[in-house]
Amino acid sequence: MKEFFFKIFNSVIFIGYLKGGGTLVSILLLILIYHLKLNTISVIFIFSLLLLTSVITIEYSKSFVGDDDRIVIDELLGMIVSIMFLPNNFFVLIFSVLIFRYLDITKIFFLDRFERINGSTGIILDDIFAGIFANLITSLILVLI
C-alpha cells in the first residue's frame, strides 16, 4: 500500500508513465495555478509540503531506481519555483514555464552536476535550480520591459 502511494505521488497521479510526462505536469500545473489564482503564501506552503513529501517518497520508493523518467514530482517542484513570486499573468507564466522546461531538458548552467548527487537530493535539486534560473530570467525580463 505504501509503495502504491509512492508510485502515485512520484509520478504525479501516473502522469510520469506517459511520454512527455514532465512537460504534461508543467502544463497542468500552469493551468491550475493560473485559474486558482493562489497567493504567494499558499504557493510556498504547497511547495514546502510537496518538497518534504517527495524527498521521503523518492528516497524510500522501491519502484523507481535513480532519476527514473516516471518520477515527475521533481518537475512539478521546479515548475512551482519557476513561477513563484511572478505576476499571475498567463503569458508571463507560460514564458517562465518554457524557460524552465528548456533549462531542465538541456541542463545548461551546470545543472547536470546536481544529478550526480545520490538519492532524492540529486533527483530534485537540478529541477529546483532550473526553476530558480527560469524565475530569475523571467523576472529580469519583466524589469527590463
Side-chain angles (χ1 to χ4, degrees):
M1 185 67 170
K2 180 174 62 174
E3 194 60 36
F4 183 68
F5 168 76
F6 291 169
K7 278 184 179 180
I8 290 172
F9 186 82
N10 292 336
S11 67
V12 185
I13 317 170
F14 299 112
I15 294 173
Y17 286 84
L18 302 172
K19 180 131 176 89
T23 301
L24 290 174
V25 163
S26 296
I27 292 168
L28 290 174
L29 181 69
L30 171 74
I31 293 167
L32 190 67
I33 293 279
Y34 179 73
H35 286 294
L36 291 179
K37 302 200 185 303
L38 298 174
N39 63 31
T40 303
I41 299 298
S42 299
V43 173
I44 292 171
F45 177 75
I46 291 167
F47 172 78
S48 301
L49 188 63
L50 289 174
L51 178 62
L52 178 64
T53 307
S54 66
V55 166
I56 294 166
T57 59
I58 291 171
E59 197 65 41
Y60 293 104
S61 175
K62 294 177 178 75
S63 300
F64 306 114
V65 177
D67 195 0
D68 192 302
D69 288 342
R70 297 172 295 174
I71 299 174
V72 291
I73 190 67
D74 55 333
E75 271 85 7
L76 184 79
L77 290 166
M79 167 66 188
I80 292 172
V81 171
S82 76
I83 62 174
M84 203 179 284
F85 309 113
L86 293 176
N88 194 14
N89 175 295
F90 197 67
F91 296 108
V92 170
L93 298 178
I94 286 176
F95 183 76
S96 190
V97 169
L98 290 174
I99 292 175
F100 165 70
R101 290 304 299 154
Y102 175 76
L103 294 173
D104 185 38
I105 292 167
T106 61
K107 304 289 186 216
I108 59 175
F109 298 135
F110 67 84
L111 292 171
D112 59 331
R113 291 185 185 173
F114 292 111
E115 289 186 326
R116 296 183 207 142
I117 299 171
N118 290 332
S120 58
T121 306
I123 294 169
I124 295 169
L125 271 182
D126 69 308
D127 294 283
I128 289 178
F129 275 94
I132 290 170
F133 287 134
N135 191 301
L136 291 173
I137 291 167
T138 304
S139 296
L140 180 64
I141 290 171
L142 286 174
V143 168
L144 294 175
I145 43 178

